[in-house]
Amino acid sequence: MNNDNAATRWSQRESTWASTFLAERGFTTQAQREHRPSSTFILDHVAILYGFERNQFIRDRRVGCAKARHIAMFVARELTLESLPQIAVAFGKKDHTTVMYACNRIRDRAAIEPSFAKEVADVTSLICESYTAYRENIEAQRRAA
């Protein structure tokens, strides 16, 4: 028990030191936390954008659905800090290589097809706008409470 208390006191001391040290240099806890959309947030938005239900979007193998799902995986890889396996799990896939394949495919197609590159950029910017509005709504609710 005594070791647990010593470890707890040490941890608290380190935490206090770190926050004081950073505060003296103008850093705040809020500034360090970078909010990014999750892959499920992206998945839901892209499914709605392309007119699919969530379950259909995850499982359907038709070309239109697969293209939209690949775009969603690519955007998730670009916007989130999630690993490939985490994105794969969010999309109901077993292996991270599925996400790698989708990202490579979207990147290659966007490189040779300007209209497709614009489509991907539009989806990305729409998701960024939506997430910004979502975070502002949460902050407003937090301030109101």
Short mmCIF file of all heavy atoms in Angstrom, two decimals, residues 77-109:
data_model
loop_
_atom_site.label_atom_id
_atom_site.label_comp_id
_atom_site.label_asym_id
_atom_site.label_seq_id
_atom_site.Cartn_x
_atom_site.Cartn_y
_atom_site.Cartn_z
N ARG A 77 -8.62 8.29 -42.94
CA ARG A 77 -7.16 8.19 -42.80
C ARG A 77 -6.53 9.57 -42.82
O ARG A 77 -5.56 9.83 -42.11
CB ARG A 77 -6.59 7.33 -43.94
CG ARG A 77 -5.11 7.11 -43.83
CD ARG A 77 -4.78 6.19 -42.67
NE ARG A 77 -3.35 5.95 -42.66
CZ ARG A 77 -2.65 5.84 -41.56
NH1 ARG A 77 -3.22 5.93 -40.39
NH2 ARG A 77 -1.36 5.63 -41.61
N GLU A 78 -7.07 10.48 -43.62
CA GLU A 78 -6.52 11.83 -43.73
C GLU A 78 -6.87 12.71 -42.53
O GLU A 78 -6.05 13.50 -42.10
CB GLU A 78 -7.03 12.51 -45.02
CG GLU A 78 -6.56 11.84 -46.29
CD GLU A 78 -5.07 11.97 -46.51
OE1 GLU A 78 -4.53 13.08 -46.36
OE2 GLU A 78 -4.43 10.95 -46.83
N LEU A 79 -8.09 12.59 -42.00
CA LEU A 79 -8.56 13.52 -40.98
C LEU A 79 -8.42 13.04 -39.55
O LEU A 79 -8.37 13.86 -38.64
CB LEU A 79 -10.03 13.88 -41.23
CG LEU A 79 -10.36 14.62 -42.51
CD1 LEU A 79 -11.84 14.95 -42.57
CD2 LEU A 79 -9.54 15.90 -42.63
N THR A 80 -8.37 11.76 -39.34
CA THR A 80 -8.32 11.25 -37.96
C THR A 80 -6.90 10.92 -37.57
O THR A 80 -6.01 10.86 -38.42
CB THR A 80 -9.19 9.99 -37.78
OG1 THR A 80 -8.58 8.90 -38.48
CG2 THR A 80 -10.60 10.20 -38.26
N LEU A 81 -6.71 10.68 -36.31
CA LEU A 81 -5.43 10.21 -35.80
C LEU A 81 -5.49 8.71 -35.53
O LEU A 81 -4.63 8.15 -34.87
CB LEU A 81 -5.05 10.96 -34.53
CG LEU A 81 -4.84 12.46 -34.68
CD1 LEU A 81 -4.58 13.10 -33.33
CD2 LEU A 81 -3.69 12.75 -35.64
N GLU A 82 -6.53 8.08 -36.04
CA GLU A 82 -6.73 6.65 -35.80
C GLU A 82 -5.80 5.82 -36.67
O GLU A 82 -5.44 6.21 -37.78
CB GLU A 82 -8.19 6.28 -36.08
CG GLU A 82 -9.16 6.97 -35.14
CD GLU A 82 -10.61 6.71 -35.50
OE1 GLU A 82 -10.89 5.85 -36.35
OE2 GLU A 82 -11.47 7.39 -34.91
N SER A 83 -5.44 4.67 -36.15
CA SER A 83 -4.58 3.76 -36.90
C SER A 83 -5.40 3.02 -37.96
O SER A 83 -6.64 3.04 -37.93
CB SER A 83 -3.95 2.74 -35.95
OG SER A 83 -4.95 1.91 -35.40
N LEU A 84 -4.71 2.38 -38.88
CA LEU A 84 -5.40 1.60 -39.91
C LEU A 84 -6.29 0.52 -39.30
O LEU A 84 -7.45 0.37 -39.73
CB LEU A 84 -4.39 0.99 -40.88
CG LEU A 84 -3.65 1.98 -41.78
CD1 LEU A 84 -2.54 1.26 -42.54
CD2 LEU A 84 -4.59 2.65 -42.74
N PRO A 85 -5.83 -0.23 -38.29
CA PRO A 85 -6.72 -1.24 -37.69
C PRO A 85 -7.96 -0.62 -37.03
O PRO A 85 -9.05 -1.19 -37.09
CB PRO A 85 -5.84 -1.93 -36.65
CG PRO A 85 -4.45 -1.76 -37.15
CD PRO A 85 -4.44 -0.42 -37.82
N GLN A 86 -7.82 0.55 -36.41
CA GLN A 86 -8.97 1.21 -35.79
C GLN A 86 -9.99 1.64 -36.85
O GLN A 86 -11.19 1.49 -36.65
CB GLN A 86 -8.52 2.44 -35.00
CG GLN A 86 -7.77 2.09 -33.73
CD GLN A 86 -7.16 3.32 -33.07
OE1 GLN A 86 -6.69 4.24 -33.76
NE2 GLN A 86 -7.17 3.33 -31.75
N ILE A 87 -9.52 2.14 -37.96
CA ILE A 87 -10.42 2.53 -39.05
C ILE A 87 -11.11 1.29 -39.61
O ILE A 87 -12.31 1.29 -39.87
CB ILE A 87 -9.66 3.31 -40.15
CG1 ILE A 87 -9.15 4.65 -39.59
CG2 ILE A 87 -10.56 3.56 -41.35
CD1 ILE A 87 -8.19 5.37 -40.51
N ALA A 88 -10.35 0.22 -39.78
CA ALA A 88 -10.92 -1.03 -40.30
C ALA A 88 -12.04 -1.53 -39.39
O ALA A 88 -13.11 -1.93 -39.88
CB ALA A 88 -9.84 -2.09 -40.44
N VAL A 89 -11.84 -1.49 -38.09
CA VAL A 89 -12.87 -1.94 -37.15
C VAL A 89 -14.12 -1.06 -37.26
O VAL A 89 -15.24 -1.56 -37.26
CB VAL A 89 -12.32 -1.94 -35.70
CG1 VAL A 89 -13.43 -2.08 -34.68
CG2 VAL A 89 -11.30 -3.03 -35.54
N ALA A 90 -13.93 0.25 -37.37
CA ALA A 90 -15.07 1.16 -37.49
C ALA A 90 -15.89 0.87 -38.74
O ALA A 90 -17.11 1.03 -38.75
CB ALA A 90 -14.59 2.61 -37.52
N PHE A 91 -15.23 0.40 -39.80
CA PHE A 91 -15.92 0.09 -41.04
C PHE A 91 -16.35 -1.37 -41.13
O PHE A 91 -16.77 -1.84 -42.17
CB PHE A 91 -15.03 0.45 -42.24
CG PHE A 91 -15.02 1.92 -42.56
CD1 PHE A 91 -14.21 2.80 -41.86
CD2 PHE A 91 -15.84 2.43 -43.55
CE1 PHE A 91 -14.21 4.15 -42.14
CE2 PHE A 91 -15.84 3.77 -43.85
CZ PHE A 91 -15.03 4.64 -43.14
N GLY A 92 -16.20 -2.09 -40.03
CA GLY A 92 -16.64 -3.47 -40.00
C GLY A 92 -15.76 -4.41 -40.80
O GLY A 92 -16.21 -5.47 -41.23
N LYS A 93 -14.53 -4.05 -40.98
CA LYS A 93 -13.59 -4.88 -41.74
C LYS A 93 -12.66 -5.61 -40.77
O LYS A 93 -12.39 -5.14 -39.68
CB LYS A 93 -12.77 -4.03 -42.72
CG LYS A 93 -13.62 -3.24 -43.70
CD LYS A 93 -14.49 -4.14 -44.51
CE LYS A 93 -15.41 -3.35 -45.41
NZ LYS A 93 -16.46 -4.17 -45.98
N LYS A 94 -12.15 -6.75 -41.22
CA LYS A 94 -11.30 -7.57 -40.35
C LYS A 94 -9.84 -7.18 -40.39
O LYS A 94 -9.11 -7.42 -39.45
CB LYS A 94 -11.43 -9.05 -40.76
CG LYS A 94 -12.79 -9.61 -40.56
CD LYS A 94 -12.84 -11.05 -41.03
CE LYS A 94 -14.26 -11.57 -40.94
NZ LYS A 94 -14.38 -12.91 -41.48
N ASP A 95 -9.42 -6.59 -41.48
CA ASP A 95 -8.00 -6.38 -41.68
C ASP A 95 -7.69 -4.94 -42.07
O ASP A 95 -8.43 -4.32 -42.85
CB ASP A 95 -7.53 -7.33 -42.79
CG ASP A 95 -6.03 -7.53 -42.80
OD1 ASP A 95 -5.35 -6.94 -41.95
OD2 ASP A 95 -5.56 -8.26 -43.67
N HIS A 96 -6.58 -4.41 -41.56
CA HIS A 96 -6.18 -3.04 -41.87
C HIS A 96 -5.76 -2.89 -43.33
O HIS A 96 -5.77 -1.79 -43.86
CB HIS A 96 -5.03 -2.62 -40.95
CG HIS A 96 -3.74 -3.29 -41.25
ND1 HIS A 96 -3.46 -4.57 -40.84
CD2 HIS A 96 -2.65 -2.86 -41.93
CE1 HIS A 96 -2.25 -4.90 -41.26
NE2 HIS A 96 -1.74 -3.88 -41.92
N THR A 97 -5.41 -3.98 -43.98
CA THR A 97 -4.99 -3.88 -45.37
C THR A 97 -6.14 -3.46 -46.29
O THR A 97 -5.89 -2.90 -47.36
CB THR A 97 -4.38 -5.20 -45.87
OG1 THR A 97 -5.34 -6.25 -45.71
CG2 THR A 97 -3.11 -5.54 -45.10
N THR A 98 -7.35 -3.69 -45.85
CA THR A 98 -8.51 -3.21 -46.61
C THR A 98 -8.49 -1.69 -46.69
O THR A 98 -8.76 -1.10 -47.73
CB THR A 98 -9.82 -3.69 -45.95
OG1 THR A 98 -9.77 -5.10 -45.82
CG2 THR A 98 -11.04 -3.28 -46.75
N VAL A 99 -8.16 -1.05 -45.58
CA VAL A 99 -8.09 0.41 -45.53
C VAL A 99 -6.91 0.89 -46.37
O VAL A 99 -7.04 1.88 -47.11
CB VAL A 99 -7.97 0.91 -44.07
CG1 VAL A 99 -7.90 2.42 -44.01
CG2 VAL A 99 -9.14 0.40 -43.23
N MET A 100 -5.79 0.20 -46.29
CA MET A 100 -4.63 0.57 -47.11
C MET A 100 -4.97 0.50 -48.60
O MET A 100 -4.64 1.42 -49.36
CB MET A 100 -3.46 -0.37 -46.83
CG MET A 100 -2.79 -0.14 -45.51
SD MET A 100 -1.53 -1.37 -45.10
CE MET A 100 -0.54 -1.42 -46.54
N TYR A 101 -5.65 -0.56 -49.00
CA TYR A 101 -6.04 -0.74 -50.38
C TYR A 101 -6.95 0.40 -50.83
O TYR A 101 -6.76 0.99 -51.90
CB TYR A 101 -6.75 -2.09 -50.56
CG TYR A 101 -7.32 -2.30 -51.93
CD1 TYR A 101 -6.51 -2.65 -53.00
CD2 TYR A 101 -8.69 -2.15 -52.16
CE1 TYR A 101 -7.05 -2.85 -54.27
CE2 TYR A 101 -9.23 -2.33 -53.42
CZ TYR A 101 -8.40 -2.68 -54.47
OH TYR A 101 -8.94 -2.87 -55.72
N ALA A 102 -7.94 0.73 -49.98
CA ALA A 102 -8.89 1.80 -50.33
C ALA A 102 -8.16 3.14 -50.47
O ALA A 102 -8.41 3.88 -51.43
CB ALA A 102 -9.97 1.90 -49.25
N CYS A 103 -7.28 3.44 -49.55
CA CYS A 103 -6.54 4.72 -49.61
C CYS A 103 -5.66 4.79 -50.85
O CYS A 103 -5.63 5.83 -51.52
CB CYS A 103 -5.70 4.89 -48.35
SG CYS A 103 -6.66 5.14 -46.86
N ASN A 104 -4.98 3.71 -51.16
CA ASN A 104 -4.14 3.70 -52.37
C ASN A 104 -4.97 3.86 -53.63
O ASN A 104 -4.59 4.58 -54.56
CB ASN A 104 -3.32 2.41 -52.44
CG ASN A 104 -2.24 2.37 -51.39
OD1 ASN A 104 -1.80 3.40 -50.89
ND2 ASN A 104 -1.83 1.17 -51.03
N ARG A 105 -6.09 3.20 -53.65
CA ARG A 105 -6.97 3.27 -54.82
C ARG A 105 -7.52 4.68 -55.04
O ARG A 105 -7.54 5.20 -56.16
CB ARG A 105 -8.13 2.31 -54.58
CG ARG A 105 -8.68 1.85 -55.79
CD ARG A 105 -9.03 0.52 -56.03
NE ARG A 105 -9.88 0.76 -57.19
CZ ARG A 105 -10.85 0.03 -57.57
NH1 ARG A 105 -11.11 -1.06 -56.93
NH2 ARG A 105 -11.55 0.33 -58.61
N ILE A 106 -7.96 5.32 -53.95
CA ILE A 106 -8.49 6.69 -54.05
C ILE A 106 -7.37 7.64 -54.46
O ILE A 106 -7.56 8.49 -55.34
CB ILE A 106 -9.13 7.12 -52.70
CG1 ILE A 106 -10.36 6.26 -52.39
CG2 ILE A 106 -9.48 8.60 -52.72
CD1 ILE A 106 -11.46 6.30 -53.42
N ARG A 107 -6.21 7.51 -53.85
CA ARG A 107 -5.07 8.39 -54.18
C ARG A 107 -4.68 8.24 -55.65
O ARG A 107 -4.47 9.24 -56.35
CB ARG A 107 -3.89 8.03 -53.27
CG ARG A 107 -2.81 9.08 -53.25
CD ARG A 107 -1.72 8.78 -52.23
NE ARG A 107 -2.25 8.73 -50.88
CZ ARG A 107 -2.33 7.62 -50.14
NH1 ARG A 107 -1.92 6.47 -50.63
NH2 ARG A 107 -2.80 7.66 -48.92
N ASP A 108 -4.62 7.01 -56.14
CA ASP A 108 -4.24 6.78 -57.54
C ASP A 108 -5.28 7.34 -58.50
O ASP A 108 -4.93 7.98 -59.50
CB ASP A 108 -4.05 5.29 -57.81
CG ASP A 108 -2.85 4.71 -57.09
OD1 ASP A 108 -2.00 5.50 -56.61
OD2 ASP A 108 -2.76 3.46 -56.98
N ARG A 109 -6.55 7.11 -58.20
CA ARG A 109 -7.60 7.58 -59.10
C ARG A 109 -7.68 9.11 -59.09
O ARG A 109 -7.88 9.73 -60.14
CB ARG A 109 -8.95 6.98 -58.69
CG ARG A 109 -10.05 7.34 -59.64
CD ARG A 109 -11.30 6.57 -59.39
NE ARG A 109 -12.38 7.09 -60.22
CZ ARG A 109 -13.63 6.80 -60.04
NH1 ARG A 109 -14.01 5.97 -59.09
NH2 ARG A 109 -14.55 7.32 -60.82
#
